[in-house]
Each structure stands twice: as C-alpha cells, then as structure tokens.
Amino acid sequence: MEKLFIYVISDSLGETGEQVAKAVVSQFDIKDYEIRRYPYVLDLEFLKEILNECKNDKAVVVYTLVDSTLSEYVRSFCQKQSIPNVDLVNPLMNAIISKTNLKPLREPGIIRKLDEKYFKRVEAIEFAVKYDDGKDPRGLTKADLVLIGISRTSKTPLSMYLANKNIKVANIPLVPESPLPKELFEIPSNKIIGLTNTPEKLNEIRQERLKVLGLSNTASYASMSRILEEIEYAQQVMKKLGCPVINVATKAIEETAGLILEIMKEQGIELNKDIK
C-alpha cells in the first residue's frame, strides 16, 4: 500500500483536526502514514497552494475552517478532484444553526483569543514562580500581596491559587537562622499576610514530607522542639510587622484564599483583579 497522507487544514492551530486524524488512523494497521498540519490558513491563495500539494500526494483532507468561503472552496475542490475530505466544523455548526436559529460569528480561532485577562493571569503566575520561597526579595515591592510563614504553611500553593485570579503574590519563608529581607519592611503591613499552623499538624506534615524524601523522621525539621521554635519566631516577626495572621491548620487552599481576599478588602487594598 502506498503511503497515506492526511492534510489537516485549519484557520487556528489545527490541533483538533490532528488529534481526530491520529485517533482514526490508530484504528487501522497502517505503518506508513504522515499527517501534515497547516495552521492559520486565512486566505484563499494559501489554501489553493495547500490543496494543489494535497492533490499531488493523493491525500485525505481534514479541515476546520469557520470561514464559509474557505470551507466551501475546500469542499468544491475536493469534490472535483475526487479527494476524500472531512469537514469537522460546519456540519455541527449547521446543526446548531438549525436548532437555535442563531447566526454564528465565524471568527477564526475565537476559542484561543488571548485577551487582557489571559495575559494578566499568565503574568501573575510567572510572578508567583519567580518570587516563590524568597528566591528574589526584590519582588516584594512589586507584589500585590506578600505571604510569610514557616515551612509547610501552604505559602506556595496559595501563591499559585491567587495568581490564577490575576493577583501577583510573593512569599517569604520564615527561618530563625535566616535574616529577613529589608524589602519586607519597606512595604505596607496591610499587603502582608502571615500564615501559621498548629504544632501537631506541622509535625504530621513534616514527618510525611521526610518520608517522601526518604529521610529519617527523627530529623530536627520535624521535631516538636524545632517546630515550636519556628512558630514562636514567626509570631514575633508577624507581630513586629503588624500583619494579619491566618491559621491554615483546618482550612482548604480555597478557603484560606477566600479569607485572604476578604482581609485585603477590609484592609483597603484594592486588588482590582478577576477574582471570580
């Protein structure tokens, strides 16, 4: 059998057509095949070039084109050239038109339109990664919110959760042996949230963490005396900063995040973010 070519033509990325093509080909014992994806086909001249190549390769055409002129051209060309073709968009679109009497937008790539909210969310997530765990204290003055707390008080997961709501969060671990960054004292205390946990819960979490890392559970990291020392140190720092404190012991990440947003609002911090 000669090599099978499948042309996937799309006005967006063409991922849908390619995945469908792969799924269908997998149902056959075909070893020699090639799927060629043509994304962002938005003008007729480009489309004509692709279809002429397709004719030479005797290919099967799969297309996801919402522009009626382009999709009709593919259908007509393939019919005249006896090229097998599958339209993955318009039959379903026509069915919805028939059911709803609504007019489609026919806007290419609309599902992937990158709006301002999307860019803000990406920026916030990148910010949270960059300024996680005190990697670069310079980020504290740029943050919408700063989380502080000892190890295993959910600083990182909370930072990422809030970042997905377009909030730029930096977090700083509180360790008795490590000096606090000067930037922490240069920002308003109402932009700082302290996180704490109960000694028992910290002991449990840290024991489990050591087990995952393959370390002995007798390490000082999980000892009750060390935990109490860290909690006392953290309390002193938070008192000095005058920031609100949340005990995360019995709270899910979503619940703690909700409390943080409420506190920020009460503190008069206008985040002006998408927090839905």
Side-chain angles (χ1 to χ4, degrees), residues 150-151 174-178 196-199 202 206 220-237:
I150 63 176
S151 176
L174 299 181
V175 183
E177 295 79 13
S178 300
T196 189
N197 209 328
T198 63
L202 282 168
R206 291 187 179 190
S220 62
Y221 172 73
S223 71
M224 190 59 75
S225 59
R226 174 62 182 182
I227 289 171
L228 291 172
E229 178 190 355
E230 289 185 28
I231 290 176
E232 183 180 359
Y233 170 71
Q235 288 173 340
Q236 292 172 358
V237 171

Side-chain angles (χ1 to χ4, degrees), residues 71-192:
S71 62
E72 176 56 30
Y73 184 86
V74 174
R75 189 198 65 77
S76 176
F77 181 93
C78 290
Q79 185 178 39
K80 289 176 183 176
Q81 300 296 330
S82 300
I83 297 172
N85 64 97
V86 180
D87 181 352
L88 294 181
V89 171
N90 287 285
L92 178 56
M93 189 177 289
N94 291 334
I96 294 174
I97 292 171
S98 174
K99 183 69 175 178
T100 65
N101 290 319
L102 295 175
K103 185 178 180 181
L105 297 173
R106 293 198 178 276
E107 186 176 341
I110 195 168
I111 197 170
R112 293 185 176 275
K113 289 294 179 183
L114 304 181
D115 58 14
E116 188 178 353
K117 285 182 181 178
Y118 175 85
F119 283 117
K120 283 183 177 178
R121 184 171 294 112
V122 170
E123 185 181 357
I125 292 171
E126 290 176 346
F127 187 95
V129 171
K130 184 175 182 179
Y131 299 113
D132 178 48
D133 207 32
K135 289 175 186 172
D136 185 349
R138 292 174 297 179
L140 299 182
T141 57
K142 305 173 187 176
D144 297 319
L145 172 67
V146 175
L147 302 177
I148 61 172
I150 63 176
S151 176
R152 319 319 290 178
T153 51
S154 303
K155 297 185 299 298
T156 296
L158 277 166
S159 295
M160 296 307 299
Y161 184 90
L162 291 167
N164 274 283
K165 295 185 178 297
N166 301 354
I167 300 171
K168 292 181 179 178
V169 186
N171 72 74
I172 296 291
L174 299 181
V175 183
E177 295 79 13
S178 300
L180 294 168
K182 61 180 178 58
E183 290 86 354
L184 190 58
F185 299 94
E186 296 173 358
I187 58 178
S189 60
N190 61 355
K191 289 181 68 175
I192 304 171

Side-chain angles (χ1 to χ4, degrees), residues 18 36 97 111 113 147 190 225 238 243 254 259 271:
E18 183 176 19
R36 294 182 178 176
I97 292 171
I111 197 170
K113 289 294 179 183
L147 302 177
N190 61 355
S225 59
M238 294 170 192
C243 65
E254 297 85 348
L259 283 174
L271 294 171

Side-chain angles (χ1 to χ4, degrees), residues 3 22 31 41 64 79 99 150 215 261 264 267:
K3 183 174 182 177
K22 285 180 177 178
K31 300 293 189 294
V41 179
T64 56
Q79 185 178 39
K99 183 69 175 178
I150 63 176
L215 301 173
L261 294 173
M264 300 300 283
Q267 296 272 23

